[in-house]
Amino acid sequence: MNSQNNSFKVFSGTRSHYMAEEICRDLGVELGKMNILHFADGEFEVSFEESIRGRDVYLVQSTFPNSDNLMELLLMIDAAKRASAKSVIAVIPYFGWARQDRKDKPRVSIAARLVANLLTAAGVDRVITMDLHADQIQGFFNIPVDHLYASSVFIPYIQSLNLEDLVIATPDVGGAKRANSYAKYLGAPLVLCHKQRAKANVVATMTIIGDVKDKNVILLDDMVDTAGTITKAADLMKENGAKSVRALASHAIMSDPATERVEESALTEMIFTNSIPFTKNSSKCTIISVARLFADTIRRVQNNESISSQYVFK
């Protein structure tokens, strides 16, 4: 990368600074200098503190709550375009608002499409993200989207556990495709949970489809918000005779009281990536970095190399 270090720069929003620093260490480059000035009323201004004229600019920022993170990213894109950057690439480890990807009832917004429109209108040339809530969100963009998968870090971790009688499970039918890919790769049976919600973030009933008796179960999900579904599934697995239950989730939203629910549940371990900063104390939570995955993708984009060749599976 040394011959190309001068052709691109990496910058970070406020809450994703930790990720950008790791990415830059792996790439062997310095994190770009940027300033975010906050006004008394909550408004803020973004400015680049070095020249980016003619450079490929990578902006690292997950768009998790609150909405300031998305607004920061939009302003960073706009500022980079106005500063004559050659191209602007948004590196979004966690793409927020992705759960609102369709009209599932009358008179609601499709927020994922709106966010895609906002990023495009701001002037982004490319998006690099990971484990979207729904794959079809890529189609909301008319620009290249590199969709990465946390399986490249989760699979080695699962294998390192050396678990016998392994079963792969999903806490809801919507995650069946992802769980089936893991099950096929690992040569393990697949178990599904069927849930019915009373309302958003509240699970009314849940049933298991499959056998977990005397099995070591690994539950897979793309994100954990209040942890109601994942802990209810873990408790149900344990009640049905599972030897142990672990959970893997790409994005640790972990809204209160998620940490308490995980601690009090039958889960042996809860494993996340660091796409969202997780700062709460939990004896059961393990964080795996995906900075190297994003650094390698940036390196491949700069060298016009294949992105998909780094996937364990999709």
Side-chain angles (χ1 to χ4, degrees):
M1 287 290 290
N2 289 338
S3 62
Q4 295 202 14
N5 282 358
N6 292 327
S7 67
F8 76 97
K9 290 291 295 185
V10 179
F11 295 88
S12 171
T14 304
R15 296 292 303 280
S16 294
H17 203 80
Y18 70 98
M19 175 72 78
E21 286 182 330
E22 282 191 56
I23 289 172
C24 286
R25 278 198 297 271
D26 197 84
L27 288 171
V29 300
E30 290 187 4
L31 182 62
K33 298 178 178 63
M34 196 180 70
N35 185 50
I36 299 177
L37 173 65
H38 288 263
F39 298 97
D41 63 352
E43 184 180 330
F44 48 86
E45 176 187 84
V46 169
S47 63
F48 292 94
E49 300 300 303
E50 57 185 284
S51 175
I52 55 174
R53 183 178 295 274
R55 302 276 190 96
D56 296 314
V57 175
Y58 292 84
L59 306 175
V60 181
Q61 179 79 318
S62 285
T63 55
F64 55 93
N66 62 40
S67 55
D68 281 2
N69 293 304
L70 173 60
M71 193 64 193
E72 264 190 22
L73 178 58
L74 293 171
L75 292 177
M76 288 160 65
I77 294 168
D78 184 68
K81 297 297 285 188
R82 296 177 188 280
S84 301
K86 179 182 177 182
S87 67
V88 181
I89 300 96
V91 180
I92 311 174
Y94 169 70
F95 187 93
W97 284 271
R99 283 172 283 188
Q100 302 176 59
D101 63 320
R102 65 195 184 280
K103 284 190 69 174
D104 56 355
K105 59 184 178 181
R107 299 176 295 279
V108 296
S109 66
I110 304 178
R113 175 59 189 263
L114 175 60
V115 171
N117 288 345
L118 289 170
L119 290 168
T120 304
V124 75
D125 296 295
R126 187 185 200 102
V127 170
I128 302 173
T129 189
M130 183 185 74
D131 280 354
L132 289 167
H133 187 65
D135 287 345
Q136 65 265 24
I137 291 172
Q138 297 172 77
F140 293 167
F141 291 91
N142 289 320
I143 56 173
V145 176
D146 295 311
H147 187 201
L148 311 183
Y149 298 89
S151 56
S152 60
V153 295
F154 282 156
I155 287 292
Y157 188 83
I158 294 172
Q159 292 171 330
S160 73
L161 296 173
N162 295 315
L163 296 174
E164 297 181 354
D165 301 314
L166 179 66
V167 165
I168 301 298
T170 176
D172 57 54
V173 177
K177 180 182 175 183
R178 179 186 301 104
N180 187 51
S181 297
Y182 278 79
K184 278 186 176 181
Y185 186 86
L186 294 166
L190 176 64
V191 170
L192 303 177
C193 288
H194 176 67
K195 70 178 179 183
Q196 292 180 314
R197 286 194 183 275
K199 57 182 180 179
N201 293 129
V202 179
V203 178
T205 61
M206 181 178 285
T207 54
I208 295 176
I209 304 171
D211 181 25
V212 296
K213 185 173 175 58
D214 298 323
K215 305 293 185 183
N216 289 302
V217 180
I218 292 186
L219 283 160
L220 292 169
D221 213 344
D222 64 318
M223 65 177 71
V224 173
D225 189 351
T226 61
T229 298
I230 204 88
T231 54
K232 190 177 183 70
D235 293 344
L236 192 58
M237 299 282 179
K238 201 70 175 177
E239 289 168 13
N240 280 266
K243 284 196 289 189
S244 69
V245 185
R246 290 172 172 82
L248 290 166
S250 303
H251 310 297
I253 301 174
M254 296 295 281
S255 307
D256 289 334
T259 305
E260 290 77 9
R261 283 177 173 170
V262 169
E263 289 294 313
E264 295 167 4
S265 73
L267 283 170
T268 302
E269 187 180 20
M270 179 82 242
I271 303 105
F272 299 113
T273 76
N274 62 342
S275 63
I276 297 175
F278 180 69
T279 57
K280 296 177 182 177
N281 292 323
S282 173
S283 61
K284 292 187 176 183
C285 290
T286 300
I287 309 299
I288 301 176
S289 176
V290 287
R292 177 160 292 179
L293 173 63
F294 281 96
D296 190 44
T297 301
I298 291 173
R299 188 181 291 113
R300 289 167 184 263
V301 169
Q302 283 301 117
N303 293 330
N304 296 310
E305 296 174 356
S306 169
I307 302 297
S308 61
S309 62
Q310 67 183 320
Y311 301 156
V312 176
F313 56 80
K314 298 180 183 180

